[in-house]
């Protein structure tokens, strides 16, 4: 197993945790609510994409 899937998995985990933190923090205005929803959604999507890609690289045996 190469390091690339491990690094991508770590970045995906960090993005997922960041997305959850952004979603759960309170917002002071209506604009901030929408901004946090957009940022949180983008971070969660990044986590899902990177996690899926890391899984695919590992399952295909890339670099082996």
């Amino acid at each position: 197993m190469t390091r690339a899937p491990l690094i991508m998995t770590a970045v995906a985990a960090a993005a997922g945790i960041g997305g959850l933190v952004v979603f759960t923090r309170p917002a002071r205005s209506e604009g901030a609510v929408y901004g946090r929803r957009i940022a949180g959604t983008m971070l969660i999507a990044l986590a899902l994409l990177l996690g899926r890609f890391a899984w695919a690289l590992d399952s295909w045996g890339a670099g082996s």
Side-chain angles (χ1 to χ4, degrees), residues 22-23 31-43:
V22 168
F23 271 133
V33 170
Y34 292 116
R36 289 185 190 270
R37 285 182 185 169
I38 290 169
T41 301
M42 292 174 77
L43 286 169

Side-chain angles (χ1 to χ4, degrees), residues 1-6 8 53-64:
M1 182 170 172
T2 63
R3 286 188 219 170
L6 293 175
M8 279 191 275
F53 190 59
W55 174 80
L57 278 178
D58 188 43
S59 68
W60 293 339
S64 304

Side-chain angles (χ1 to χ4, degrees), residues 3-22:
R3 286 188 219 170
L6 293 175
I7 293 170
M8 279 191 275
T9 303
V11 173
I17 291 169
L20 291 175
V21 168
V22 168

